[in-house]
Amino acid sequence: MGVTNRLACYSDPADHYSHRVRLVLAEKGISVQIIDVDPGRLPPKLVEVNPYGSVPTLVDRDLALYESTVVMEYLDERYPHPPLLPVYPVGRGNSRLLMHRIQRDWCALVDLLLDKRSAEPARAQARKELRESLTGVAPLFGEMACFMSDEQSLVDCCLLPILWRLPVMGIELPRQAKPLLDYMERQFAREPFQASLSAAEREMRKL
């Protein structure tokens, strides 16, 4: 297949961490071979390049990178246009902190809700927490075109795959979350976002 001679991304079509990386690739218009991975059946090549056998995994010739934020930042540096992190250190630091907060505050809840093995009482609690938390920050989305920024960034690339999955998680945002709902509508309609979606992800919102 010659995977190592060009850019390839091992990706789970339903996984929000894989979706992040596909979104970055789409934002930058990077030509890449997306290799869909069934979590239960890992390709031997993936296990060969990544000791954890995890996705997303990016292979760029002899380099193999895993852990979604590492892959996203590498792509932003390797393909600098359009930039998805601010130019200046303070701005970059703030963006990284927002990515960390999304990871810490929301991703644990999302992972629990998307794991079919989770017990229903835990799911109900996670659903309530995530809905309240997103509703609480909704006003922030009315201030700028993107999340805490006028430009598209890696922060949006972390957040949008979560927001796309709200129906699957059984979360409907209330009317007072209108700035966030408007942001979602705007962002989901963008060409790069549409290009980032797998067939499994389109099915989540029946497109």
Side-chain angles (χ1 to χ4, degrees):
M1 295 223 318
V3 168
T4 49
N5 297 329
R6 55 175 295 199
L7 202 63
C9 181
Y10 291 90
S11 163
D12 177 342
D15 169 55
H16 71 102
Y17 296 107
S18 292
H19 192 178
R20 290 176 171 188
V21 170
R22 281 184 270 114
L23 184 49
V24 173
L25 290 163
E27 289 286 355
K28 291 177 175 286
I30 300 167
S31 176
V32 60
Q33 180 185 7
I34 301 288
I35 302 165
D36 288 343
V37 174
D38 175 345
R41 294 168 49 201
L42 301 180
K45 181 71 184 172
L46 172 59
V47 180
E48 191 182 305
V49 297
N50 175 351
Y52 303 103
S54 59
V55 290
T57 292
L58 185 81
V59 179
D60 188 358
R61 298 184 176 84
D62 296 328
L63 175 70
L65 294 173
Y66 31 92
E67 180 52 44
S68 61
T69 48
V70 173
V71 176
M72 291 164 76
E73 292 202 25
Y74 171 77
L75 288 169
D76 197 46
E77 291 175 356
R78 175 96 161 76
Y79 302 91
H81 301 291
L84 292 175
L85 276 178
V87 175
Y88 299 107
V90 170
R92 291 171 88 88
N94 280 330
S95 292
R96 288 186 173 115
L97 197 58
L98 283 171
M99 288 162 69
H100 173 71
R101 291 194 65 178
I102 289 169
Q103 187 68 34
R104 188 171 177 135
D105 295 350
W106 293 334
C107 287
L109 300 173
V110 172
D111 293 342
L112 189 151
L113 285 165
L114 293 176
D115 186 344
K116 292 180 174 62
R117 297 164 300 183
S118 302
E120 189 46 47
R123 294 165 73 87
Q125 181 60 30
R127 203 175 285 122
K128 179 175 180 287
E129 278 183 46
L130 186 56
R131 183 177 183 272
E132 288 176 358
S133 185
L134 288 170
T135 304
V137 300
L140 295 174
F141 290 86
E143 295 168 12
M144 298 179 174
C146 303
F147 185 31
M148 307 286 281
S149 169
D150 288 319
E151 304 290 338
Q152 210 70 19
S153 79
L154 292 184
V155 182
D156 299 288
C157 295
C158 288
L159 183 58
L160 288 167
I162 291 174
L163 297 174
W164 182 258
R165 285 160 174 75
L166 291 182
V168 184
M169 294 186 282
I171 294 173
E172 190 173 337
L173 294 173
R175 269 180 303 187
Q176 62 261 42
K178 189 175 187 312
L180 175 52
L181 293 165
D182 291 345
Y183 164 84
M184 288 162 62
E185 189 178 338
R186 216 169 43 240
Q187 289 282 342
F188 293 164
R190 293 178 67 249
E191 201 175 302
F193 186 84
Q194 288 295 315
S196 76
L197 292 168
S198 67
E201 285 158 348
R202 288 184 179 280
E203 188 63 25
M204 291 173 187
R205 285 179 178 252
K206 295 287 189 285
L207 293 181

